[in-house]
């Protein structure tokens, strides 16, 4: 019998934060898209888990730390690089000088931007399960990854490639065939992304080495660390472990992870540990939200899920978000050329910041050019809309016991359809521009209907924007 998900549970996942800089509008949009879906499913009565974690790995933080703390000969290449990174930290990231002086290790940088990011996401009302937040620089995560690699090895997936590097054998035709078959069952918001990801299958090769001799991350042995692109293919399992693990430490963590991987690979065991049962009842991941540039990683993730997870436990749906440009140049937070969430909040307020994220470009799945005039247009729209809401509320208060009309059922159904399909911009325009324009003069009954629509749907798209009671 299949180990089916417990009725009423809904798991939303998205890639780890890699906090080497403040969170950009593109990364923030992933979280806002995931948040809207989380709120939508909660509205439907589901118990939603929406985890968040930070990936402490790679070489960017290490290189940045070396530059910040290095002493170099004036006008040398490293001196100029240090000057550039200091300027980015001070002028663009706006990190206080006394804080910059305290960033002595890569972990200091990662922790600083981690908690700035968490604060920014909380400010725009992203409803992650922050209580389960973790960073990957911990002993438990290292044990999880090592057990995952044990199962790669037991499935004959680890090889030495032509470059004499440890690698996953993506050239195995049987594994590839099963992965392609598994991919057929995955749904994508905006179907064109499925073809884009499918086109990345040929980019996955066994000459991808798994190990690095430089950088921070999960140690493979005394000499190497695991490349961060390979230590997190199945991190959703660890997210669930962090949610359900017991408070006591009277169990062997490695044995728990071995039992977990055995459980998801084979037929369910009725006598499984309670932690294992609690994890598997949340599987599969119902929705995974990530940016377009990770399409190759999605293929890697599908390979790993096909190898190590039963079909009914594999990720069901992806919502892939498009990346942004400014003046036709790709935005990059690490190079100081991106729109930062913290700046949007500081300049325009939390609600307008969230609206700017959602109103930028078209459907969130599409690439876009950022419109520098958009923030001021959003501020004007919000001010006009709030005046309209005040007008509606004044009309409603004239007869609060009246039954609302049903004259806007068509508009209500359109809003629902927009939200379900990810057309959040269109839903916002309909609610905040078109409905006010078409309903300038209303009675109490119609005012109550419109306010009811706003409360129902704006509390999902822009939570806490309205402060009215019906």
């Amino acid at each position: 019998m299949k180990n089916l998900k417990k009725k009423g549970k809904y798991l939303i996942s998205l890639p780890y934060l890699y906090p080497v800089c403040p969170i950009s509008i593109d990364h923030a949009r992933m979280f806002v898209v995931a948040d809207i879906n989380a709120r939508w499913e909660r509205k439907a009565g589901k118990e939603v888990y929406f985890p968040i974690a930070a990936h402490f790995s790679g070489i960017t933080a290490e290189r940045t730390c070396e530059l910040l703390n290095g002493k170099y000969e004036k006008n040398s290449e490293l001196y100029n690089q240090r000057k550039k990174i200091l300027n980015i930290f001070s002028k663009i990231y706006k990190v206080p000088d006394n804080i910059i002086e305290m960033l002595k290790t890569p972990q200091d940088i990662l922790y600083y931007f981690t908690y700035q990011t968490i604060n920014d996401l909380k400010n725009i009302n992203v409803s992650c399960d922050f209580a389960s937040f973790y960073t990957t620089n911990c002993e438990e995560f290292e044990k999880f990854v090592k057990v995952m690699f044990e199962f790669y090895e037991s499935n004959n997936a680890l090889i030495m490639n032509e470059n004499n590097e440890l690698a996953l054998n993506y050239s195995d035709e049987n594994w590839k065939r099963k992965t392609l078959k598994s991919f057929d069952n995955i749904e994508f918001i905006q179907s064109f992304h499925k073809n884009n990801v499918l086109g990345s299958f040929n980019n996955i090769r066994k000459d991808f080495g798994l190990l690095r001799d430089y950088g921070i991350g999960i140690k493979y042995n005394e000499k190497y660390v695991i490349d961060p692109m390979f230590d997190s293919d199945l991190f959703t399992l660890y997210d669930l472990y962090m949610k359900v693990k017991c408070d006591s430490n009277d169990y062997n963590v490695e044995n728990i992870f071995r039992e977990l991987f055995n459980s998801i690979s084979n037929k369910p065991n009725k006598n499984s540990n309670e932690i294992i049962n609690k994890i598997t009842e949340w599987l599969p991941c119902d929705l995974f939200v990530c940016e377009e540039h990770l399409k190759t990683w999605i293929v890697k993730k599908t390979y790993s899920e096909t190898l190590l997870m039963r079909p009914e436990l594999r990720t069901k749906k992806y919502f892939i978000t498009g990346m942004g440009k400014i003046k036709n140049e790709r935005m990059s937070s690490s190079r100081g050329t991106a729109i930062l969430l913290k700046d949007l909040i500081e300049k325009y307020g939390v609600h307008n910041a969230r609206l700017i994220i959602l109103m930028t470009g078209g459907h969130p799945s599409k690439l876009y050019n950022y419109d520098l005039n958009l923030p001021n247009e959003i501020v004007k729209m919000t001010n006009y809309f709030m005046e309209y809401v005040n007008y509606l509320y004044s009309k409603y208060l004239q007869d609060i016991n009246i039954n609302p009309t049903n004259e806007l059922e068509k508009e209500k159904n359109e809003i629902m359809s927009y939200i379900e399909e990810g057309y959040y911009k269109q839903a916002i325009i309909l609610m905040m521009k078109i409905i006010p324009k078409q309903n300038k003069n209303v009675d109490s009954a119609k005012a109550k209907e419109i306010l009811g629509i706003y409360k129902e749907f704006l509390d999902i798209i822009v939570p806490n924007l309205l402060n009215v009671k019906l």
Side-chain angles (χ1 to χ4, degrees):
M1 184 176 71
K2 290 183 178 181
N3 184 13
L4 298 177
K5 167 171 278 193
K6 189 171 181 180
K7 186 177 180 180
K9 293 186 181 293
Y10 195 90
L11 174 61
I12 294 179
S13 187
L14 65 174
Y16 287 145
L17 298 170
Y18 185 41
V20 293
C21 53
I23 188 170
S24 70
I25 187 173
D26 282 341
H27 287 79
R29 185 157 64 163
M30 278 196 311
F31 279 92
V32 173
V33 166
D35 179 59
I36 291 173
N37 280 274
R39 292 176 183 275
W40 187 254
E41 296 300 329
R42 293 188 195 110
K43 178 178 178 291
K46 302 282 185 67
E47 181 186 359
V48 175
Y49 183 45
F50 176 15
I52 180 173
H55 204 187
F56 279 33
S57 64
I59 60 176
T60 303
E62 189 150 342
R63 287 175 174 170
T64 300
C65 183
E66 289 174 355
L67 286 173
L68 288 177
N69 294 283
K71 297 184 183 301
Y72 308 110
E73 184 178 344
K74 194 171 183 179
N75 295 325
S76 66
E77 182 178 349
L78 288 174
Y79 176 88
N80 291 329
Q81 289 180 18
R82 181 176 188 273
K83 187 176 179 180
K84 182 178 179 180
I85 197 69
L86 281 171
N87 182 67
I88 291 174
F89 267 62
S90 178
K91 304 298 184 184
I92 298 175
Y93 299 166
K94 299 175 185 175
V95 181
D97 290 343
N98 64 316
I99 297 295
I100 294 176
E101 293 176 0
M102 295 170 62
L103 302 177
K104 299 298 184 184
T105 69
Q107 289 81 0
D108 291 338
I109 295 171
L110 294 168
Y111 276 120
Y112 178 80
F113 289 119
T114 290
Y115 292 108
Q116 182 182 87
T117 295
I118 287 175
N119 185 61
D120 289 341
L121 292 175
K122 287 181 176 179
N123 277 335
I124 61 169
N125 295 298
V126 170
S127 59
C128 294
D129 286 85
F130 292 103
S132 300
F133 172 80
Y134 65 91
T135 60
T136 61
N137 60 330
C138 63
E139 185 178 355
E140 282 179 299
F141 186 74
E142 184 164 339
K143 289 179 178 179
F144 171 79
V145 174
K146 288 183 176 179
V147 170
M148 181 173 69
F149 270 71
E150 286 179 16
F151 277 78
Y152 282 144
E153 187 171 12
S154 67
N155 281 275
N156 301 313
L158 286 180
I159 60 168
M160 297 302 292
N161 64 23
E162 291 86 345
N163 301 318
N164 201 32
E165 298 171 322
L166 188 69
L168 286 169
N169 188 15
Y170 294 123
S171 298
D172 182 90
E173 289 300 324
N174 185 47
W175 188 11
K176 183 175 183 178
R177 185 176 64 254
K178 289 181 178 179
T179 301
L180 284 166
K181 184 178 179 181
S182 176
F183 191 78
D184 288 339
N185 297 317
I186 300 173
E187 183 181 349
F188 285 75
I189 302 291
Q190 298 282 298
S191 58
F192 74 90
H193 274 302
K194 186 163 189 170
N195 290 331
N196 289 345
V197 175
L198 191 60
S200 296
F201 265 84
N202 292 330
N203 296 333
I204 303 296
R205 305 180 308 274
K206 65 182 181 181
D207 59 354
F208 288 177
L210 291 172
L211 306 179
R212 289 180 173 178
D213 56 7
Y214 181 76
I216 60 174
I218 303 302
K219 292 181 179 179
Y220 185 77
N221 52 33
E222 291 301 319
K223 185 177 180 181
Y224 297 106
V225 296
I226 297 172
D227 187 295
M229 284 293 287
F230 290 91
D231 70 5
S232 54
D233 287 354
L234 299 178
F235 72 86
T236 299
L237 296 174
Y238 191 81
D239 284 340
L240 292 170
Y241 166 76
M242 290 298 293
K243 176 177 176 57
V244 307
K245 71 173 184 174
C246 299
D247 292 331
S248 62
N249 293 315
D250 58 353
Y251 57 84
N252 185 298
V253 175
E254 289 188 21
N255 286 343
I256 287 291
F257 293 145
R258 290 191 183 97
E259 185 177 348
L260 173 60
F261 278 98
N262 273 320
S263 176
I264 64 173
S265 299
N266 305 307
K267 292 181 179 180
N269 183 353
K270 293 182 180 179
N271 299 317
S272 292
N273 183 288
E274 182 182 4
I275 297 176
I276 307 302
N277 292 331
K278 287 181 177 180
I279 290 174
T280 55
E281 73 179 17
W282 277 97
L283 293 171
C285 175
D286 295 280
L287 180 67
F288 196 96
V289 183
C290 65
E291 290 173 309
E292 184 269 343
H293 74 93
L294 286 180
K295 57 182 179 288
T296 299
W297 180 80
I298 292 173
V299 176
K300 288 175 66 285
K301 182 173 180 290
T302 307
Y303 263 99
S304 295
E305 289 189 355
T306 302
L307 183 72
L308 300 179
M309 299 176 74
R310 301 196 307 276
E312 70 271 18
L313 301 182
R314 299 169 192 164
T315 302
K316 291 171 63 177
K317 184 188 296 187
Y318 284 89
F319 193 131
I320 300 180
T321 58
M323 306 289 285
K325 297 181 179 180
I326 298 179
K327 299 178 181 179
N328 294 314
E329 294 291 332
R330 179 61 60 85
M331 284 193 272
S332 169
S333 297
S334 61
R335 294 197 298 268
T337 61
I339 301 297
L340 303 179
L341 175 57
K342 70 183 189 66
D343 291 337
L344 294 178
I345 293 171
E346 181 181 334
K347 293 178 182 178
Y348 307 108
V350 295
H351 297 124
N352 286 327
R354 185 163 169 134
L355 282 166
I356 291 165
I357 291 167
L358 292 170
M359 294 287 283
T360 293
H363 192 281
S365 63
K366 303 292 181 63
L367 302 174
Y368 68 92
N369 272 306
Y370 182 75
D371 182 356
L372 294 172
N373 297 315
L374 179 65
N376 288 330
E377 293 174 7
I378 295 295
V379 171
K380 290 178 182 177
M381 180 187 75
T382 304
N383 290 341
Y384 170 77
F385 176 72
M386 294 311 297
E387 290 178 3
Y388 181 67
V389 169
N390 290 335
Y391 161 71
L392 292 176
Y393 202 55
S394 68
K395 299 296 287 189
Y396 160 72
L397 290 176
Q398 292 176 8
D399 190 354
I400 62 175
N401 295 317
I402 197 169
N403 291 324
T405 63
N406 292 307
E407 297 178 22
L408 277 77
E409 283 298 305
K410 175 177 174 290
E411 288 83 354
K412 183 175 179 179
N413 289 332
E414 285 181 359
I415 294 166
M416 291 176 63
S417 178
Y418 285 146
I419 294 174
E420 288 172 346
E421 296 175 13
Y423 288 97
Y424 311 124
K425 180 177 180 177
Q426 284 79 355
I428 293 165
I429 290 172
L430 179 52
M431 285 189 282
M432 298 182 69
K433 287 187 173 182
I434 296 175
I435 289 178
K437 185 177 181 179
Q438 294 179 346
N439 299 273
K440 292 181 178 179
N441 298 301
V442 300
D443 57 18
S444 296
K446 196 167 187 179
K448 189 172 185 177
E449 181 188 10
I450 296 173
L451 286 171
I453 291 172
Y454 288 162
K455 284 294 293 180
E456 182 174 359
F457 298 114
L458 276 179
D459 278 356
I460 291 171
I461 295 177
V462 196
N464 301 326
L465 175 63
L466 299 186
N467 187 25
V468 296
K469 295 182 179 180
L470 299 179

